[in-house]
Amino acid sequence: QVQLVESGGGLVQTGGSLRLSCAASARSFSYYAMGWFRQAPGADREFVATVNWSGGSTSYADSVKGRFTISRDNANNTVSLEMNSLKPEDTAVYYCAAKVGSMATEVHQYTYWGSGTQVTVSS
């Protein structure tokens, strides 16, 4: 069983930056690929970024590529999402997720989910 707790959300102006963190309670954190997803009001949950067990491989949604960076610290059981050049369309609840094995980009492929953290970008 893995518990995930996100933090770092908030209100920021267009062009600003935020850093989200996800703390995981897992005996073998490095067994898990990690992902960030987001869900805007009235929309489906969508993929943002994923990182493999070592942190050596990452993948991003086209909408955030070049602006967001995912990273992990296996010694401290954390995964982060650095978000720069934020836009109003980035406004959403951001969720951290974990799965055993390789990276993935689909919601249904992830087993464990946090409760989310709100990010609001004002225009």
Side-chain angles (χ1 to χ4, degrees):
Q1 190 75 5
V2 178
Q3 292 184 325
L4 304 171
V5 179
E6 302 96 337
S7 62
L11 173 65
V12 64
Q13 291 185 333
T14 297
S17 299
L18 279 175
R19 183 179 179 87
L20 305 183
S21 292
C22 173
S25 63
R27 283 190 176 183
S28 301
F29 181 63
S30 61
Y31 283 1
Y32 298 89
M34 301 298 295
W36 284 97
F37 290 77
R38 66 187 182 186
Q39 188 166 18
D44 292 334
R45 193 169 298 188
E46 65 174 10
F47 167 72
V48 174
T50 183
V51 61
N52 76 335
W53 69 274
S54 69
S57 184
T58 59
S59 180
Y60 298 90
D62 287 344
S63 59
V64 307
K65 203 170 293 183
R67 300 188 297 123
F68 290 11
T69 302
I70 188 171
S71 60
R72 67 188 294 161
D73 180 351
N74 286 345
N76 291 299
N77 283 20
T78 59
V79 61
S80 298
L81 185 69
E82 183 74 31
M83 305 186 296
N84 298 314
S85 301
L86 283 161
K87 307 174 181 179
E89 51 263 44
D90 294 318
T91 295
V93 177
Y94 282 71
Y95 297 91
C96 175
K99 66 178 295 292
V100 174
S102 58
M103 300 189 299
T105 62
E106 300 292 330
V107 170
H108 69 88
Q109 293 174 295
Y110 284 80
T111 306
Y112 303 101
W113 292 85
S115 59
T117 185
Q118 176 71 47
V119 171
T120 303
V121 184
S122 64
S123 56

